[in-house]
Amino acid sequence: QLQLVESGGGEVQFGGSLRLSCAASGFPASGFPLNYYVFCWFRQAPGKEREGVSCIKSSDDSTYYAEFVKGRFTISRDNAKKTVYLQMNSLGPEDSAIYYCAAGWSSTMLEPLYEYWGQGTQVTVSS
């Protein structure tokens, strides 16, 4: 079973930066290798629904971003380390949330399309 573990969250001041990591281990039940999958970051703030932030296709490194993070966040991956990163710059209080890593077959950021999820890492931005 594929497992995803996020790390790198914490508290940062307004305008600061954080880099989140999502480490994959194990093997997908589908039998397909990891480079068939799309890895995404989602986030959920208190009292709000979970929303998609960014995705990266393992097959060709195509990246996708929600409008509210374009120009501030960068998603990347290290195939050898089986790790996906989310570099977050120019953070504001509105970015405070639990950030989740997910793996699936789509870059649409529609939650039901993602089979594997991590436990999340908290990001808090103080003003």
Side-chain angles (χ1 to χ4, degrees):
Q1 185 79 331
L2 182 65
Q3 292 185 324
L4 304 175
V5 178
E6 303 95 335
S7 62
E11 185 167 354
V12 63
Q13 289 191 332
F14 178 85
S17 299
L18 280 175
R19 188 177 80 156
L20 305 182
S21 299
C22 171
S25 63
F27 299 94
S30 65
F32 287 95
L34 288 181
N35 60 9
Y36 276 67
Y37 280 80
V38 179
F39 289 84
C40 298
W41 288 96
F42 289 78
R43 70 184 187 185
Q44 187 169 24
K48 294 187 177 181
E49 293 187 352
R50 190 155 54 185
E51 59 185 357
V53 175
S54 182
C55 296
I56 185 166
K57 280 187 177 179
S58 299
S59 59
D60 62 6
D61 284 339
S62 296
T63 57
Y64 306 84
Y65 296 94
E67 283 296 323
F68 53 80
V69 301
K70 280 185 178 179
R72 299 190 300 126
F73 291 10
T74 303
I75 192 170
S76 62
R77 70 185 188 97
D78 184 326
N79 193 39
K81 294 183 179 180
K82 297 183 180 179
T83 301
V84 175
Y85 304 99
L86 186 68
Q87 177 66 43
M88 306 187 296
N89 299 328
S90 302
L91 287 164
E94 67 279 7
D95 296 312
S96 296
I98 299 175
Y99 283 71
Y100 298 90
C101 180
W105 301 98
S106 171
S107 58
T108 60
M109 302 188 215
L110 296 175
E111 288 190 43
L113 300 179
Y114 298 91
E115 183 177 0
Y116 299 101
W117 291 83
Q119 294 299 307
T121 185
Q122 177 72 50
V123 171
T124 303
V125 184
S126 57
S127 56

